[in-house]
Amino acid sequence: MLKKIVQNRKLILTYLAVLLGIITAAYFFILGINKVKTAEISYNAVKTQVQAETVKASVLASVKQELSNLKRMGRSKTAVCI
């Protein structure tokens, strides 16, 4: 009788240990998924900022080129007038 109780205790402890391992693994899995989601949100925010800055730089380069063209046209008209 005592042997069966001791064996059952060992079996119960084994099952509890396995259950605790499964719960711990699930916890870390969910924690990892949440970190991935947070990282994805951060990545998308940075990506949007980079795209906005790229557009801004492109517009500024176009404006600079247009000003350069206008200056050259102004010099050409001045040279023709003289």
Side-chain angles (χ1 to χ4, degrees), residues 1-45:
M1 180 80 174
L2 191 60
K3 258 188 179 181
K4 277 189 173 184
I5 293 171
V6 171
Q7 285 176 349
N8 285 341
R9 278 191 180 174
K10 286 182 181 178
L11 188 62
I12 289 170
L13 287 175
T14 303
Y15 284 140
L16 285 175
V18 168
L19 185 62
L20 183 62
I22 291 170
I23 291 170
T24 304
Y27 170 76
F28 283 118
F29 179 76
I30 291 169
L31 189 68
I33 293 295
N34 288 339
K35 286 189 181 218
V36 167
K37 287 180 183 177
T38 303
E40 183 181 10
I41 290 168
S42 296
Y43 168 77
N44 287 337

Side-chain angles (χ1 to χ4, degrees), residues 44-77:
N44 287 337
V46 170
K47 182 179 168 185
T48 302
Q49 286 177 334
V50 168
Q51 287 173 340
E53 291 297 322
T54 302
V55 169
K56 184 178 173 182
S58 176
V59 168
L60 288 174
S62 296
V63 168
K64 183 179 177 184
Q65 183 63 40
E66 197 61 36
L67 284 173
S68 177
N69 290 343
L70 288 173
K71 283 182 183 177
R72 270 190 262 141
M73 286 175 53
R75 287 185 197 141
S76 298
K77 287 182 180 178

